[in-house]
Amino acid sequence: MDTILIVFLLPVFFMLHELEEIIGIRLWLDKNGVELYNRFPRFKQIIRRLDSITTPVFTVIVAEEFILVSFCTFLSAYTGNWIAWYCCLMAFGLNLFVHIIQFLLWRRYIPAIVTSLCSFPYCIWAFRETYKFFIPCEQVGYALVGILFGALNLFVMHKIVAVSYTHLTLPTTP
């Protein structure tokens, strides 16, 4: 299979997955928030944080991540150096895996599961077609770098957007 096709499918699968979350997360949290608190008390702080995120705020976070994934994809395709793309692939694959685990724990629909189940095979296929570019210790190292960078980026974006959003003031109408 053509490596370029595999590489350029990453932003496509990423955005399809994120669109399912953008469209469904707010309604789903409004409907299931109380039960989430009751069933998973250890995660109250995370649930509370998620519950405070509006759709526009979530969309800004997704947009930044999409720009980052797209940049890494284009950079890798342009240079022929697949490290940045591979890091993004591994972070995305872990994200999908986490959603699958969440679905198994929740035992009902969550906004992200349909596209997680559709996108996870792409990640496996992409890995199988591109793993040969790296020796095993590089694969593990780059996967860790991608996952850590992805987690750090998500954390920073949540902080930036939360601070920015709390300082927004909307004009009042007389």
Side-chain angles (χ1 to χ4, degrees), residues 115-127:
T115 53
S116 291
L117 293 173
C118 293
S119 300
F120 199 65
Y122 158 75
C123 289
I124 294 168
W125 172 61
F127 173 77

Side-chain angles (χ1 to χ4, degrees), residues 7-8 11 67-80 85:
V7 167
F8 277 104
I67 290 167
L68 190 59
V69 167
S70 297
F71 175 77
C72 290
T73 297
F74 281 95
L75 178 68
S76 293
Y78 180 75
T79 64
W85 174 84

Side-chain angles (χ1 to χ4, degrees), residues 138-170:
E138 289 175 328
Q139 292 169 1
V140 171
Y142 296 145
L144 289 174
V145 166
I147 290 164
L148 290 173
F149 181 78
L152 178 64
N153 180 65
L154 189 60
F155 175 79
V156 169
M157 281 304 297
H158 276 274
K159 290 293 184 191
I160 289 170
V161 172
V163 168
S164 299
Y165 192 72
T166 57
H167 294 308
L168 279 178
T169 55
L170 299 174

Side-chain angles (χ1 to χ4, degrees), residues 39-151:
R39 281 186 60 190
F40 305 103
R42 286 185 169 171
F43 298 103
K44 268 189 177 168
Q45 192 135 359
I46 294 170
I47 296 166
R48 188 175 299 121
R49 176 70 193 119
L50 286 174
D51 202 28
S52 71
I53 297 175
T54 64
T55 300
V57 168
F58 187 72
T59 303
V60 168
I61 294 169
V62 167
E64 184 271 342
E65 290 176 335
F66 179 70
I67 290 167
L68 190 59
V69 167
S70 297
F71 175 77
C72 290
T73 297
F74 281 95
L75 178 68
S76 293
Y78 180 75
T79 64
N81 182 328
W82 308 113
I83 295 171
W85 174 84
Y86 182 83
C87 289
C88 290
L89 176 70
M90 292 297 106
F92 180 55
L94 179 65
N95 177 299
L96 300 175
F97 183 73
V98 166
H99 287 312
I100 292 168
I101 298 300
Q102 289 170 333
F103 170 73
L104 293 173
L105 291 171
W106 185 246
R107 294 188 296 265
R108 292 192 304 249
Y109 174 79
I110 62 168
I113 192 57
V114 172
T115 53
S116 291
L117 293 173
C118 293
S119 300
F120 199 65
Y122 158 75
C123 289
I124 294 168
W125 172 61
F127 173 77
R128 288 189 61 190
E129 293 293 324
T130 61
Y131 78 95
K132 60 188 171 265
F133 298 135
F134 310 106
I135 60 174
C137 65
E138 289 175 328
Q139 292 169 1
V140 171
Y142 296 145
L144 289 174
V145 166
I147 290 164
L148 290 173
F149 181 78

